[in-house]
Amino acid sequence: MKRYSNKIKLEARRLRASGNTYSEIKSILNISPTKSTLSFWLKDVVLPPNYKEKVKGLNESNLKKARYKAFVINRNKRQEFFKNIRLINNSVVKGIRNINTAKIALAMLCLGEASKYNPKTTANFYLGSSNPKIILLFLQLLKCCYDFKQEKVRCTVQCRADQDIKALQKYWQKITGIPKSLFYKTRIDPRTKGKPTKISGYKGVLRVDYFDRKIQLELESLANLIYNKLCVNGLVA
């Protein structure tokens, strides 16, 4: 064990009486005795009246630093986690340009979001969503998989009574690239009259109709075949 001179001990006592903490004393004197050694040296030193407040402030400051450090560590871990996920998925997403892969994606999207075949309705099917990503995926996958014709598209904005109809139409026209001439009259939900829209940034729902019954039937057939392959017959090697 390292031995310290009386001069060091006396200086440590003076610093303690001035209100310095153990850590501050060791730093100022450039020494490294154990906590029990310091406690023995300083056991009868009278602390100044403001010492408790000082320690309280230091504890709060150290807690803030520890929280920030933990935040930075967790943020870096999270960023690394998402980076690894993107690396894994980058190789997967390259296959979306393959027409068969794209058709499966479109069939699954339509299974969950699009209207279903009804022989009594007109020769169109539609998908509606307030999420621009879903709308764009629907249109882009149609273009990727089929001989997409824009003139077969009709769009309808569905909104609340207190919303700006013209602004919503411009928004969805810009998002989709579909001209105004292919938009039906906006539909206002009558149940929303007198009820203010509470969701900030809500742009209503866009319904996209595509007039091609053959594509609808093909996609529904593909979805059913996938279901039968995976859920009825089980995975086949």
Side-chain angles (χ1 to χ4, degrees):
M1 180 184 294
K2 183 176 180 179
R3 299 180 65 85
Y4 293 94
S5 67
N6 287 333
K7 182 179 179 182
I8 288 291
K9 295 175 185 178
L10 288 172
E11 185 63 15
R13 290 174 64 82
R14 186 189 68 76
L15 290 170
R16 184 63 169 166
S18 299
N20 289 279
T21 65
Y22 284 8
S23 296
E24 288 172 337
I25 292 170
K26 289 198 288 185
S27 176
I28 293 169
L29 298 179
N30 193 25
I31 58 176
S32 55
T34 63
K35 185 177 180 181
S36 60
T37 298
L38 271 178
S39 180
F40 178 73
W41 291 355
L42 311 172
K43 61 183 178 181
D44 58 348
V45 174
V46 178
L47 295 168
N50 65 340
Y51 182 75
K52 287 185 178 180
E53 285 299 315
K54 175 184 177 178
V55 171
K56 182 181 177 181
L58 287 172
N59 288 339
E60 290 176 353
S61 176
N62 289 335
L63 182 59
K64 287 181 180 178
K65 289 178 182 177
R67 285 175 175 168
Y68 179 74
K69 185 177 180 180
F71 165 77
V72 171
I73 291 171
N74 289 332
R75 181 189 62 190
N76 292 340
K77 285 182 178 179
R78 187 167 58 250
Q79 289 175 344
E80 187 65 22
F81 173 74
F82 285 117
K83 179 182 177 182
N84 290 333
I85 288 178
R86 286 193 295 271
L87 288 174
I88 292 169
N89 286 333
N90 276 338
S91 60
V92 177
V93 78
K94 290 177 182 178
I96 197 63
R97 289 296 179 184
N98 178 283
I99 190 169
N100 290 331
T101 305
K103 276 188 179 180
I104 290 174
L106 181 56
M108 295 299 99
L109 178 63
C110 290
L111 178 64
E113 301 287 342
S115 62
K116 305 305 180 280
Y117 171 70
N118 184 341
K120 296 181 181 180
T121 61
T122 54
N124 70 299
F125 68 109
Y126 63 86
L127 179 147
S129 180
S130 61
N131 188 337
K133 289 182 180 179
I134 292 177
I135 297 297
L136 286 175
L137 277 172
F138 178 59
L139 291 170
Q140 290 302 117
L141 286 170
L142 277 173
K143 293 174 183 177
C144 181
C145 300
Y146 298 99
D147 182 19
F148 179 84
K149 298 186 186 305
Q150 187 170 267
E151 60 269 22
K152 291 185 177 182
V153 174
R154 292 296 183 274
C155 296
T156 308
V157 177
Q158 300 171 336
C159 65
R160 298 175 60 85
D162 66 338
Q163 292 187 280
D164 186 333
I165 293 174
K166 289 184 178 180
L168 292 180
Q169 287 176 334
K170 288 181 179 179
Y171 170 80
W172 287 110
Q173 287 164 22
K174 183 178 179 181
I175 288 290
T176 61
I178 304 297
K180 183 179 179 180
S181 60
L182 298 180
F183 272 70
Y184 287 141
K185 183 179 179 180
T186 298
R187 294 182 183 178
I188 300 173
D189 185 349
R191 299 169 299 177
T192 63
K193 288 182 179 179
K195 299 178 182 179
T197 301
K198 295 181 180 180
I199 302 175
S200 177
Y202 177 65
K203 301 295 184 180
V205 170
L206 184 70
R207 167 173 162 164
V208 179
D209 287 72
Y210 195 71
F211 286 81
D212 194 319
R213 176 60 55 80
K214 181 178 179 296
I215 290 178
Q216 180 186 26
L217 292 173
E218 183 180 330
L219 292 171
E220 289 191 7
S221 172
L222 178 56
N224 285 329
L225 287 170
I226 292 170
Y227 169 79
N228 290 334
K229 190 76 169 178
L230 296 178
C231 302
V232 177
N233 300 323
L235 286 171
V236 179

